[in-house]
Amino acid sequence: MIAAQTNVNRIFHALGDPTRRAIVERLSVRGPLSASALAEPMGVTVTAITQHLRVLEDCRLVRTEKVGRVRSCRVEPSGLSVLTRWVDAQRTRWERRLDAMGAILDESDE
Amino acid sequence: MIAAQTNVNRIFHALGDPTRRAIVERLSVRGPLSASALAEPMGVTVTAITQHLRVLEDCRLVRTEKVGRVRSCRVEPSGLSVLTRWVDAQRTRWERRLDAMGAILDESDE
DNA sequence: CCAATAGTGAAGTGGTGGCTTCAGTATTAA
DNA sequence: TTAATACTGAAGCCACCACTTCACTATTGG
């Protein structure tokens, strides 16, 4: 529970940065890419990309693997489910509240 | 398009902050709340809440209305759909890429 | 009217985070 | 072996942002 909470925290924080979101988007379209391949069109240093990759990997949004001297990066699509689960939870709570309000109104009708 | 992009930006940034996410969560469970009612259990000043509310309102995650001297706040559930749309888009792209890879493999099989 | 309540605006502070440079390591190519 | 490539670690810089305090306005209850 608490672990899940902190993971929600980290995922939202991770995707709150445009560059990191761009990395995820890019990895979704083009397949596995190296760090330098990611850096090139983004206008940042490879060092910056490495740092972002660490963040994305920590919250399991991206999986990387070092083969030889190049780090191969790919999305971990299941990582996004944390996001959908959070959104769905909000929706459920919201609807539940509406239902409860409806029940109260019905009651006062009787 | 670009407007949508910047809105995605703002929504992710808005929800990247734990306090703001707590506000959204709390408003989903308990109905409309005042700024001070939001501040009380969060351990922050009412001023801080006001600032957060402005951010949440700017990206249409929350709707507030000042009645008398109290600002009544409620969630705008449609605001979260931007989030689900983004996640779905990533999933679609990812699956499309897998399909394309499959097609290539099929081709080389012939 | 007076006091209490609810919120707002401005300004300042501290911390975090994204980015850079630079100096290094490990791998690959010639 | 030498040179080039691909990345990594450390350290520093700077901008942003969450938060505070303080002074103020607007509303409401006695």
Side-chain angles (χ1 to χ4, degrees):
Chain A
M1 288 287 183
I2 293 171
Q5 269 291 42
T6 64
N7 205 34
V8 171
N9 249 329
R10 297 197 298 193
I11 286 193
F12 268 105
H13 170 251
L15 294 175
D17 178 69
T19 307
R20 277 194 292 262
R21 224 164 45 247
I23 291 178
V24 172
E25 289 171 355
R26 203 166 145 72
L27 288 179
S28 298
V29 182
R30 319 234 192 289
L33 290 175
S34 70
S36 39
L38 283 170
E40 189 260 321
M42 307 234 186
V44 290
T45 334
V46 184
T47 309
I49 295 292
T50 308
Q51 292 163 350
H52 283 310
L53 285 175
R54 178 167 184 83
V55 173
L56 289 170
E57 221 176 348
D58 278 353
C59 57
R60 313 237 181 270
L61 283 170
V62 160
R63 227 171 58 77
T64 81
E65 182 191 9
K66 187 127 185 195
V67 28
R69 63 181 165 180
V70 34
R71 177 166 297 275
S72 171
C73 314
R74 65 182 65 197
V75 281
E76 184 106 54
S78 63
L80 293 178
S81 61
V82 173
L83 224 53
T84 43
R85 271 202 298 274
W86 185 85
V87 173
D88 287 347
Q90 302 320 307
R91 287 228 180 83
T92 307
R93 289 173 183 181
W94 185 71
E95 284 157 13
R96 190 170 300 159
R97 185 169 58 75
L98 287 194
D99 287 352
M101 278 172 57
I104 289 171
L105 289 180
D106 289 351
E107 226 171 272
S108 61
D109 276 354
E110 297 181 82
Chain B
M1 288 290 182
I2 293 172
Q5 270 290 43
T6 63
N7 206 35
V8 171
N9 250 328
R10 295 197 300 190
I11 284 192
F12 268 105
H13 169 252
L15 293 175
D17 177 70
T19 308
R20 277 194 292 263
R21 223 165 46 247
I23 290 177
V24 171
E25 289 172 355
R26 203 165 145 71
L27 287 179
S28 298
V29 183
R30 319 235 192 288
L33 289 176
S34 69
S36 39
L38 283 169
E40 188 261 322
M42 307 233 186
V44 290
T45 335
V46 184
T47 309
I49 295 291
T50 307
Q51 290 163 352
H52 284 310
L53 285 174
R54 179 169 184 83
V55 173
L56 290 169
E57 222 176 347
D58 278 353
C59 58
R60 313 239 180 268
L61 283 170
V62 161
R63 227 171 57 79
T64 80
E65 181 192 8
K66 188 130 182 195
V67 28
R69 62 183 167 181
V70 34
R71 177 166 297 275
S72 171
C73 315
R74 63 183 67 198
V75 281
E76 184 107 54
S78 63
L80 293 177
S81 61
V82 172
L83 224 53
T84 45
R85 272 203 298 273
W86 185 85
V87 173
D88 288 347
Q90 302 320 307
R91 289 230 179 82
T92 308
R93 289 172 182 181
W94 185 71
E95 283 158 14
R96 189 170 301 159
R97 184 170 58 77
L98 287 193
D99 286 353
M101 278 173 56
I104 289 171
L105 289 181
D106 288 351
E107 224 170 273
S108 61
D109 276 354
E110 297 180 80

